[in-house]
Amino acid sequence: INSLSLVTGMAIVAIVGEGMALTSGVSATFMSSLANANVNIRLIAQGSSERQVAVVVSADDASRALRAAHMAFTLSATTASIAVLGSTGDIGSVLMKQIQGREKCLLKDLNVQLIMTCAANSRKMVIAKDINGLDMDKISDLLIDDETCTRTENFLTNTDMNKVTEIMEQDVNPNRVIIDCTNNEAVAEFYEEWLSKGINIISPSPNAAAGDLTRFKSICEAQALSGANW
Protein backbone atom coordinates (compact mmCIF):
# COMPACT_ATOMS: atom_id res chain seq x y z
CA ILE A 1 0.00 0.00 0.00
CA ASN A 2 1.50 3.27 -1.11
CA SER A 3 -0.73 5.60 0.92
CA LEU A 4 -4.14 5.98 2.51
CA SER A 5 -6.66 8.75 1.98
CA LEU A 6 -10.04 9.50 3.48
CA VAL A 7 -12.91 10.68 1.30
CA THR A 8 -16.00 11.83 3.17
CA GLY A 9 -19.57 12.36 2.04
CA MET A 10 -19.85 9.02 0.23
CA ALA A 11 -22.55 6.32 0.20
CA ILE A 12 -22.71 2.65 -0.84
CA VAL A 13 -25.44 1.38 -3.13
CA ALA A 14 -25.57 -2.35 -3.83
CA ILE A 15 -27.61 -4.92 -5.72
CA VAL A 16 -27.89 -8.40 -4.20
CA GLY A 17 -29.30 -11.56 -5.74
CA GLU A 18 -28.82 -15.27 -6.27
CA GLY A 19 -27.31 -16.36 -9.58
CA MET A 20 -25.95 -12.95 -10.54
CA ALA A 21 -22.69 -14.51 -11.73
CA LEU A 22 -24.60 -16.74 -14.15
CA THR A 23 -26.86 -13.99 -15.51
CA SER A 24 -25.34 -11.75 -18.17
CA GLY A 25 -26.01 -8.04 -18.20
CA VAL A 26 -26.88 -7.53 -14.52
CA SER A 27 -23.91 -5.29 -13.77
CA ALA A 28 -24.33 -3.48 -17.10
CA THR A 29 -27.97 -2.76 -16.30
CA PHE A 30 -26.99 -1.46 -12.86
CA MET A 31 -24.17 0.77 -14.12
CA SER A 32 -26.19 2.06 -17.07
CA SER A 33 -29.08 3.03 -14.81
CA LEU A 34 -26.72 5.14 -12.69
CA ALA A 35 -25.11 6.72 -15.75
CA ASN A 36 -28.51 7.63 -17.18
CA ALA A 37 -29.41 9.19 -13.83
CA ASN A 38 -26.22 11.30 -14.03
CA VAL A 39 -24.77 9.60 -10.94
CA ASN A 40 -20.97 9.42 -10.89
CA ILE A 41 -19.52 6.13 -9.63
CA ARG A 42 -16.40 6.54 -7.50
CA LEU A 43 -15.68 2.86 -6.77
CA ILE A 44 -16.98 -0.58 -7.81
CA ALA A 45 -16.71 -3.78 -5.75
CA GLN A 46 -18.07 -7.32 -6.03
CA GLY A 47 -18.49 -9.70 -3.11
CA SER A 48 -16.60 -12.99 -3.07
CA SER A 49 -19.91 -14.88 -3.18
CA GLU A 50 -20.72 -13.18 -6.50
CA ARG A 51 -24.17 -12.36 -5.13
CA GLN A 52 -23.52 -8.66 -4.74
CA VAL A 53 -22.24 -5.74 -6.74
CA ALA A 54 -21.69 -2.50 -4.84
CA VAL A 55 -20.75 1.00 -5.92
CA VAL A 56 -19.65 4.07 -4.01
CA VAL A 57 -21.32 7.35 -4.98
CA SER A 58 -21.65 10.81 -3.50
CA ALA A 59 -24.02 10.83 -0.54
CA ASP A 60 -25.97 13.60 -2.29
CA ASP A 61 -26.66 11.20 -5.18
CA ALA A 62 -27.56 8.18 -3.03
CA SER A 63 -31.35 8.53 -3.23
CA ARG A 64 -31.26 9.11 -6.98
CA ALA A 65 -28.93 6.12 -7.45
CA LEU A 66 -31.23 3.90 -5.40
CA ARG A 67 -34.31 4.94 -7.35
CA ALA A 68 -32.50 4.46 -10.65
CA ALA A 69 -31.53 0.89 -9.67
CA HIS A 70 -35.08 0.10 -8.54
CA MET A 71 -36.50 1.33 -11.83
CA ALA A 72 -33.87 -0.51 -13.90
CA PHE A 73 -34.83 -3.83 -12.33
CA THR A 74 -38.56 -2.93 -12.37
CA LEU A 75 -38.81 -3.00 -8.58
CA SER A 76 -40.82 0.20 -8.76
CA ALA A 77 -42.61 2.31 -11.34
CA THR A 78 -40.48 4.44 -13.64
CA THR A 79 -40.94 7.89 -12.14
CA ALA A 80 -40.39 11.11 -14.07
CA SER A 81 -40.25 14.50 -12.37
CA ILE A 82 -41.59 17.18 -14.68
CA ALA A 83 -41.39 20.96 -14.77
CA VAL A 84 -43.64 22.69 -17.30
CA LEU A 85 -42.75 26.22 -18.38
CA GLY A 86 -45.50 28.23 -20.03
CA SER A 87 -48.07 25.90 -18.50
CA THR A 88 -51.00 28.30 -18.94
CA GLY A 89 -50.25 29.44 -22.49
CA ASP A 90 -51.90 28.15 -25.66
CA ILE A 91 -49.53 25.21 -26.06
CA GLY A 92 -48.89 24.62 -22.37
CA SER A 93 -52.55 24.49 -21.35
CA VAL A 94 -53.34 21.89 -24.04
CA LEU A 95 -50.31 19.85 -22.99
CA MET A 96 -51.37 19.93 -19.35
CA LYS A 97 -54.79 18.54 -20.30
CA GLN A 98 -53.14 15.80 -22.35
CA ILE A 99 -50.82 14.82 -19.51
CA GLN A 100 -53.68 14.82 -17.04
CA GLY A 101 -55.80 12.68 -19.36
CA ARG A 102 -53.07 10.07 -19.85
CA GLU A 103 -51.64 10.05 -16.33
CA LYS A 104 -53.50 6.97 -15.07
CA CYS A 105 -53.11 5.14 -18.37
CA LEU A 106 -49.33 5.63 -18.33
CA LEU A 107 -49.09 4.18 -14.84
CA LYS A 108 -51.39 1.24 -15.55
CA ASP A 109 -50.16 0.25 -19.03
CA LEU A 110 -46.51 1.36 -19.03
CA ASN A 111 -45.69 1.54 -15.30
CA VAL A 112 -44.64 5.18 -15.74
CA GLN A 113 -45.54 7.64 -13.00
CA LEU A 114 -45.45 11.37 -13.74
CA ILE A 115 -44.81 13.82 -10.91
CA MET A 116 -45.38 17.52 -11.58
CA THR A 117 -42.61 19.15 -9.58
CA CYS A 118 -43.00 22.70 -10.86
CA ALA A 119 -45.25 24.66 -13.21
CA ALA A 120 -44.75 28.22 -14.37
CA ASN A 121 -46.18 30.95 -16.55
CA SER A 122 -44.44 34.16 -17.57
CA ARG A 123 -44.94 35.76 -14.14
CA LYS A 124 -45.39 33.11 -11.45
CA MET A 125 -44.25 29.59 -10.70
CA VAL A 126 -45.64 27.05 -8.24
CA ILE A 127 -43.41 24.45 -6.59
CA ALA A 128 -44.69 21.18 -5.13
CA LYS A 129 -44.61 20.91 -1.35
CA ASP A 130 -43.37 17.30 -1.41
CA ILE A 131 -42.34 14.35 -3.59
CA ASN A 132 -45.97 13.64 -4.52
CA GLY A 133 -45.96 16.64 -6.82
CA LEU A 134 -48.64 19.15 -7.76
CA ASP A 135 -52.29 18.32 -8.32
CA MET A 136 -52.63 18.88 -12.08
CA ASP A 137 -56.30 19.82 -11.66
CA LYS A 138 -55.36 22.83 -9.58
CA ILE A 139 -52.25 24.19 -11.31
CA SER A 140 -54.03 27.07 -13.07
CA ASP A 141 -55.65 28.11 -9.78
CA LEU A 142 -52.38 27.78 -7.90
CA LEU A 143 -50.62 30.14 -10.30
CA ILE A 144 -53.13 32.95 -9.79
CA ASP A 145 -54.28 32.47 -6.21
CA ASP A 146 -51.98 32.88 -3.21
CA GLU A 147 -54.69 31.55 -0.88
CA THR A 148 -54.99 28.29 -2.83
CA CYS A 149 -51.22 27.80 -2.56
CA THR A 150 -51.28 28.50 1.15
CA ARG A 151 -54.17 26.12 1.69
CA THR A 152 -52.45 23.29 -0.23
CA GLU A 153 -49.04 24.14 1.29
CA ASN A 154 -47.42 24.52 -2.13
CA PHE A 155 -45.02 27.38 -2.76
CA LEU A 156 -45.83 30.25 -5.14
CA THR A 157 -43.11 32.65 -6.24
CA ASN A 158 -42.00 34.79 -9.16
CA THR A 159 -40.83 32.82 -12.20
CA ASP A 160 -37.08 32.29 -11.91
CA MET A 161 -35.13 29.96 -14.21
CA ASN A 162 -32.29 29.71 -11.70
CA LYS A 163 -34.80 28.42 -9.15
CA VAL A 164 -36.19 25.94 -11.68
CA THR A 165 -32.64 24.72 -12.31
CA GLU A 166 -32.01 24.31 -8.57
CA ILE A 167 -35.25 22.38 -8.03
CA MET A 168 -34.64 19.97 -10.89
CA GLU A 169 -30.98 19.45 -10.04
CA GLN A 170 -31.83 18.55 -6.44
CA ASP A 171 -34.69 16.22 -7.41
CA VAL A 172 -33.85 12.64 -6.41
CA ASN A 173 -35.70 11.05 -9.33
CA PRO A 174 -33.29 9.86 -12.04
CA ASN A 175 -35.71 10.89 -14.82
CA ARG A 176 -36.06 14.65 -14.78
CA VAL A 177 -37.74 16.53 -17.62
CA ILE A 178 -38.25 20.23 -18.31
CA ILE A 179 -40.96 20.90 -20.87
CA ASP A 180 -40.48 24.35 -22.34
CA CYS A 181 -43.74 25.58 -23.89
CA THR A 182 -42.53 29.18 -24.05
CA ASN A 183 -41.10 31.15 -26.94
CA ASN A 184 -38.57 32.89 -24.73
CA GLU A 185 -34.93 33.39 -25.71
CA ALA A 186 -33.96 33.79 -22.05
CA VAL A 187 -35.22 30.27 -21.32
CA ALA A 188 -33.21 28.84 -24.23
CA GLU A 189 -30.07 30.21 -22.58
CA PHE A 190 -30.51 27.60 -19.82
CA TYR A 191 -30.64 24.56 -22.11
CA GLU A 192 -26.91 23.91 -21.98
CA GLU A 193 -26.86 24.01 -18.18
CA TRP A 194 -29.92 21.78 -17.86
CA LEU A 195 -28.54 19.16 -20.21
CA SER A 196 -25.13 19.21 -18.53
CA LYS A 197 -26.89 18.34 -15.25
CA GLY A 198 -28.62 15.35 -16.87
CA ILE A 199 -32.00 17.06 -17.12
CA ASN A 200 -33.98 16.14 -20.25
CA ILE A 201 -35.67 18.85 -22.31
CA ILE A 202 -38.81 18.74 -24.47
CA SER A 203 -39.77 21.88 -26.36
CA PRO A 204 -41.64 22.99 -29.49
CA SER A 205 -39.74 26.29 -29.39
CA PRO A 206 -37.30 26.95 -32.26
CA ASN A 207 -35.17 29.37 -30.25
CA ALA A 208 -32.45 26.94 -29.17
CA ALA A 209 -32.41 24.81 -32.33
CA ALA A 210 -32.64 27.62 -34.88
CA GLY A 211 -31.11 30.48 -32.92
CA ASP A 212 -27.50 31.43 -32.22
CA LEU A 213 -25.15 28.83 -33.76
CA THR A 214 -22.55 29.03 -30.99
CA ARG A 215 -25.22 28.41 -28.38
CA PHE A 216 -26.65 25.53 -30.43
CA LYS A 217 -23.24 23.83 -30.61
CA SER A 218 -22.74 24.27 -26.86
CA ILE A 219 -26.14 22.72 -26.19
CA CYS A 220 -25.32 19.74 -28.44
CA GLU A 221 -21.98 19.24 -26.69
CA ALA A 222 -23.65 19.28 -23.26
CA GLN A 223 -26.21 16.76 -24.47
CA ALA A 224 -23.54 14.43 -25.84
CA LEU A 225 -21.54 14.53 -22.60
CA SER A 226 -24.46 13.97 -20.24
CA GLY A 227 -26.55 11.58 -22.31
CA ALA A 228 -29.69 13.59 -21.55
CA ASN A 229 -32.36 13.88 -24.24
CA TRP A 230 -33.37 17.03 -26.08
Side-chain angles (χ1 to χ4, degrees):
I1 299 176
N2 184 33
S3 63
L4 295 175
S5 61
L6 175 65
V7 180
T8 60
M10 297 287 110
I12 298 174
V13 178
I15 55 173
V16 182
E18 293 287 346
M20 286 177 54
L22 303 176
T23 305
S24 62
V26 174
S27 293
T29 299
F30 183 34
M31 305 304 169
S32 296
S33 70
L34 300 186
N36 292 334
N38 205 36
V39 174
N40 186 40
I41 299 172
R42 300 291 297 272
L43 185 146
I44 303 172
Q46 182 172 2
S48 58
S49 66
E50 298 184 339
R51 295 174 181 169
Q52 172 183 300
V53 175
V55 298
V56 175
V57 301
S58 169
D60 293 336
D61 293 332
S63 294
R64 187 180 301 159
L66 186 62
R67 292 193 179 205
H70 272 237
M71 293 178 195
F73 293 101
T74 62
L75 300 176
S76 62
T78 297
T79 305
S81 294
I82 301 173
V84 179
L85 310 179
S87 61
T88 58
D90 291 341
I91 296 175
S93 58
V94 173
L95 174 66
M96 294 295 288
K97 291 179 181 178
Q98 290 177 332
I99 293 175
Q100 185 179 346
R102 301 295 293 175
E103 186 179 10
K104 293 181 180 178
C105 181
L106 287 170
L107 182 59
K108 179 181 177 182
D109 297 342
L110 301 176
N111 202 33
V112 173
Q113 182 180 17
L114 302 181
I115 295 178
M116 191 67 63
T117 303
C118 172
N121 57 27
S122 59
R123 298 175 292 103
K124 297 288 185 178
M125 57 186 279
V126 60
I127 304 165
K129 63 178 179 179
D130 54 35
I131 60 174
N132 294 317
L134 298 167
D135 185 340
M136 296 189 195
D137 288 332
K138 296 184 173 65
I139 286 178
S140 295
D141 294 334
L142 291 171
L143 285 169
I144 61 175
D145 188 355
D146 288 332
E147 290 186 6
T148 302
C149 266
T150 302
R151 188 167 59 253
T152 57
E153 298 182 4
N154 294 296
F155 180 62
L156 182 68
T157 185
N158 293 329
T159 297
D160 182 350
M161 291 302 105
N162 288 308
K163 184 64 176 178
V164 172
T165 304
E166 179 185 341
I167 293 166
M168 298 304 287
E169 183 181 11
Q170 293 177 353
D171 196 291
V172 297
N173 283 323
N175 302 306
R176 298 160 294 158
V177 184
I178 293 177
I179 304 177
D180 176 19
C181 297
T182 73
N183 189 27
N184 193 324
E185 277 283 346
V187 175
E189 291 291 336
F190 283 84
Y191 280 26
E192 179 185 355
E193 182 178 359
W194 291 339
L195 290 167
S196 69
K197 297 178 184 299
I199 302 169
N200 304 287
I201 301 172
I202 299 173
S203 178
S205 171
N207 289 326
D212 180 76
L213 181 59
T214 301
R215 181 179 65 190
F216 174 75
K217 289 181 177 179
S218 297
I219 292 172
C220 291
E221 289 174 4
Q223 179 188 17
L225 288 172
S226 70
N229 294 299
W230 171 38

